[in-house]
Amino acid sequence: MFKSGFVTIIGRPNVGKSTLINTIIGEKLSIVSCRPQTTRNNIHAILTKDNYQIIFVDTPGIHKPRHKLGEYMVKSAQEAKREVDLVMFMTTPEEEIGKGDEMILEGLKNSEKPVFLVINKIDENNPEIVAKALEAYSKYMDFAEIIPISAKRKKNINTLQELMAKYMPEGPKYYPDDMITDQQERFVISEIIREKSLKLLSQEVPHGIAVEIISMKKNQIGTYHIDANILCEKDTHKGIIIGKGGRMLKKISTYSRQDMEKFLDAKVNLKIWVKVKKEWRDSKFMLKELGYRE
Ligand SMILES: Nc1nc2c(ncn2[C@@H]2O[C@H](COP(=O)(O)OP(=O)(O)OP(=O)(O)O)[C@@H](O)[C@H]2O)c(=O)[nH]1
Ligand SMILES: [Mg+2]
């Protein structure tokens, strides 16, 4: 019997949802950074084994939105819950349940779908705190399964995978064996630039960044020519992104190109410009333009 289904990961920002997806798939599909609110869209990743296929939906961290982009992000995450066969609620070891988690759990309490409790980052927390967290959270509601893991250090990932497979219904192979995402190439390319920006830039700049792919063409010998804009919210931010003598932009560009070449398996010629679009995160029009649409 072949099993298949959809699984989503829901949780606060920065708990490691995207890291887990990448660990399971074995490739960097969903961008990861040490900053909260990294993921902005629901990202699909496909895992195919001999006897099952799971389609994962990585979601933006649930938080109190402060602009329209935030509202879009939280809505995306909330919607994912409804369309799946299994929900993984991810958190980190805390002795007490915080306000953010309480709000998310409230929305999961009466879920018709099974909900797993996944406690991540056990590698950087002592076992006592992990045990306390397991106790506190499992008291809060009835979870179908409870699994402490480390997405980064790959601890308990196989166990988690086997448990997920157990809960999948009988179903077809939705996607071919070698397909790991249904994300458009352009989207992945723009996310690579956003990830490098998040990594390299400091302070408040990265949160106000969006990436727009202006053109993407492949020439006869297979080289990609990619033109992109980095949008930011202030002139001062533009200066920081470009850096002294253009050094920061060069760095972002070089690291992005390296990842793109790996992803596209081809040579890439990349040009990036920086543009200021004031308050784009609150502009319905701009959000739509940038693909943050319902
Ligand atoms: N020590 C440790 N760090 C981890 C682990 N998993 C993820 N991280 C780190 O936690 C940070 C956030 O990881 P992400 O995967 O981007 O978190 P996320 O939940 O997707 O965050 P948002 O997209 O902002 O909601 C990164 O710096 C990761 O390297 C883990 O198992 N152990
Ligand atoms: Mg994420």
Side-chain angles (χ1 to χ4, degrees), residues 11-20 31-40 58-62 90 120-124 149-153:
R12 275 178 287 123
N14 221 34
V15 293
K17 301 178 292 299
S18 302
T19 305
L20 176 62
I31 69 169
V32 165
S33 87
C34 59
R35 296 170 204 285
Q37 297 170 34
T38 297
T39 306
R40 287 179 178 169
D58 184 15
T59 64
I62 296 178
M90 184 185 269
N120 190 30
K121 307 198 186 182
I122 57 169
D123 56 298
E124 62 171 19
I149 65 160
S150 168
K152 199 170 177 178
R153 307 264 169 249

Side-chain angles (χ1 to χ4, degrees), residues 26-248:
E27 286 217 28
K28 209 168 79 189
L29 264 186
S30 196
I31 69 169
V32 165
S33 87
C34 59
R35 296 170 204 285
Q37 297 170 34
T38 297
T39 306
R40 287 179 178 169
N41 313 71
N42 290 349
I43 310 274
H44 292 191
I46 307 156
L47 175 72
T48 309
K49 294 279 184 184
D50 288 341
N51 50 353
Y52 67 88
Q53 182 169 70
I54 297 176
I55 296 105
F56 292 95
V57 186
D58 184 15
T59 64
I62 296 178
H63 61 284
K64 266 215 176 98
R66 285 198 303 260
H67 36 65
K68 286 210 176 74
L69 173 65
E71 283 166 21
Y72 165 85
M73 286 160 63
V74 173
K75 207 166 158 208
S76 303
Q78 300 288 16
E79 268 165 13
K81 286 190 306 200
R82 273 181 249 134
E83 298 157 5
V84 295
D85 301 288
L86 170 68
V87 177
M88 289 202 278
F89 165 70
M90 184 185 269
T91 187
T92 47
E94 318 287 342
E95 292 188 39
E96 275 176 44
I97 305 178
K99 280 245 159 61
D101 272 349
E102 234 169 41
M103 188 180 80
I104 301 169
L105 286 169
E106 222 26 66
L108 290 174
K109 246 183 175 169
N110 300 315
S111 164
E112 287 162 21
K113 318 281 167 65
V115 181
F116 282 14
L117 169 63
V118 179
I119 303 216
N120 190 30
K121 307 198 186 182
I122 57 169
D123 56 298
E124 62 171 19
N125 286 279
N126 78 46
E128 261 171 54
I129 296 185
V130 176
K132 271 190 180 155
L134 289 173
E135 202 188 317
Y137 283 90
S138 55
K139 262 191 208 148
Y140 200 92
M141 65 177 262
D142 241 349
F143 292 99
E145 305 281 349
I146 297 174
I147 316 107
I149 65 160
S150 168
K152 199 170 177 178
R153 307 264 169 249
K154 304 186 173 50
K155 287 221 173 81
N156 273 349
I157 303 298
N158 281 340
T159 314
L160 176 61
Q161 249 167 253
E162 278 161 26
L163 286 172
M164 289 187 297
K166 218 175 92 184
Y167 283 78
M168 291 299 104
E170 192 175 347
K173 199 182 270 186
Y174 293 101
Y175 296 98
D177 289 328
D178 56 353
M179 195 164 161
I180 54 165
T181 183
D182 61 356
Q183 239 64 251
Q184 304 272 340
E185 259 179 9
R186 265 174 182 256
F187 175 74
V188 179
I189 294 295
S190 69
E191 287 285 271
I192 288 174
I193 300 176
R194 201 164 61 81
E195 186 194 51
K196 300 309 166 202
S197 310
L198 281 170
K199 282 225 166 92
L200 294 165
L201 296 164
S202 55
Q203 298 143 18
E204 84 277 34
V205 186
H207 279 304
I209 277 181
V211 175
E212 200 178 23
I213 304 298
I214 312 164
S215 85
M216 179 166 168
K217 289 188 198 113
K218 198 175 172 180
N219 70 12
Q220 282 135 330
I221 55 164
T223 302
Y224 280 84
H225 288 267
I226 301 172
D227 291 343
N229 278 337
I230 294 180
L231 306 184
C232 62
E233 297 193 309
K234 291 178 186 163
D235 291 317
T236 48
H237 289 178
K238 180 175 172 176
I240 297 171
I241 298 167
I242 293 173
K244 269 203 193 102
R247 252 173 273 159
M248 179 53 86

